[in-house]
């Protein structure tokens, strides 16, 4: 069987791209790699977090210069992503979120020693920052 190297892209859908960009750039500290009216791409480690405007991915996208097409995709409801942080950054994240008025909805102490903080983005997606020790590979 061919080998997989990892998850490269995680996608969240937003009802308000400007509001989502403000949150991910000013609260999460991400810098956009590329953006247009329908999406924004952020580097997170060696992964990409893609924000798509709700309803902008339901039709095939024809890319310029003969690059090809991207088939339709979509998501609805509140989704979840977890972002890896160093153990010594957990309290700094809690303070950072509090200072920006972002409520922490949950805190978990995992059996392998990891700790998680859970909070929401403006679209209601559940975000998690988690320290090492949650999975065998992290």
């Amino acid at each position: 069987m061919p080998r997989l190297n990892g998850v490269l892209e995680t996608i969240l859908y937003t009802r308000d791209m400007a509001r989502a960009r403000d949150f991910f750039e000013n609260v999460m500290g991400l810098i956009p790699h590329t953006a247009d009216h329908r999406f924004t791409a952020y580097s997170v480690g060696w992964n990409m977090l893609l924000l798509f405007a709700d309803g902008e991915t339901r039709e095939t996208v024809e890319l310029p210069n003969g690059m090809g097409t991207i088939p339709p995709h979509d998501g609805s409801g509140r989704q979840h992503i977890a972002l890896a942080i160093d153990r010594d950054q957990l309290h700094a994240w809690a303070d950072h979120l509090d200072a920006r008025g972002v409520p922490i909805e949950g805190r978990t102490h995992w059996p392998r020693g990891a700790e998680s903080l859970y909070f929401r983005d403006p679209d209601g997606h559940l975000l998690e920052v988690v320290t090492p020790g949650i999975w065998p590979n992290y």
Side-chain angles (χ1 to χ4, degrees):
M1 176 175 288
R3 183 171 77 97
L4 295 172
N5 292 335
V7 176
L8 179 61
E9 297 172 348
T10 298
I11 297 172
L12 295 175
Y13 297 87
T14 180
R15 293 178 302 277
D16 184 330
M17 185 62 74
R19 182 184 66 184
R21 285 179 179 156
D22 180 62
F23 178 85
F24 283 95
E25 292 167 23
N26 294 311
V27 173
M28 301 304 294
L30 300 178
I31 299 169
H33 170 67
T34 188
D36 65 22
H37 74 280
R38 67 179 194 92
F39 91 108
T40 305
Y42 298 101
S43 298
V44 182
W46 62 273
N47 297 292
M48 296 300 294
L49 172 61
L50 306 180
L51 301 179
F52 280 96
D54 188 34
E56 292 290 325
T57 59
R58 295 181 184 142
E59 303 292 329
T60 298
V61 174
E62 299 279 340
L63 298 172
N65 304 317
M67 290 173 34
T69 61
I70 301 173
H73 55 88
D74 193 26
S76 62
R78 297 187 295 179
Q79 298 152 33
H80 168 67
I81 62 171
L83 302 165
I85 63 171
D86 291 331
R87 187 171 308 283
D88 65 358
Q89 293 296 299
L90 186 71
H91 295 293
W93 268 103
D95 293 345
H96 175 77
L97 293 168
D98 183 58
R100 282 157 182 77
V102 178
I104 295 172
E105 290 188 19
R107 296 173 186 258
T108 305
H109 303 277
W110 297 101
R112 295 176 184 263
E115 294 184 69
S116 295
L117 299 177
Y118 294 92
F119 53 97
R120 304 248 176 216
D121 78 355
D123 284 283
H125 299 305
L126 183 64
L127 306 183
E128 173 186 6
V129 290
V130 61
T131 65
I134 188 167
W135 299 110
N137 62 338
Y138 182 73

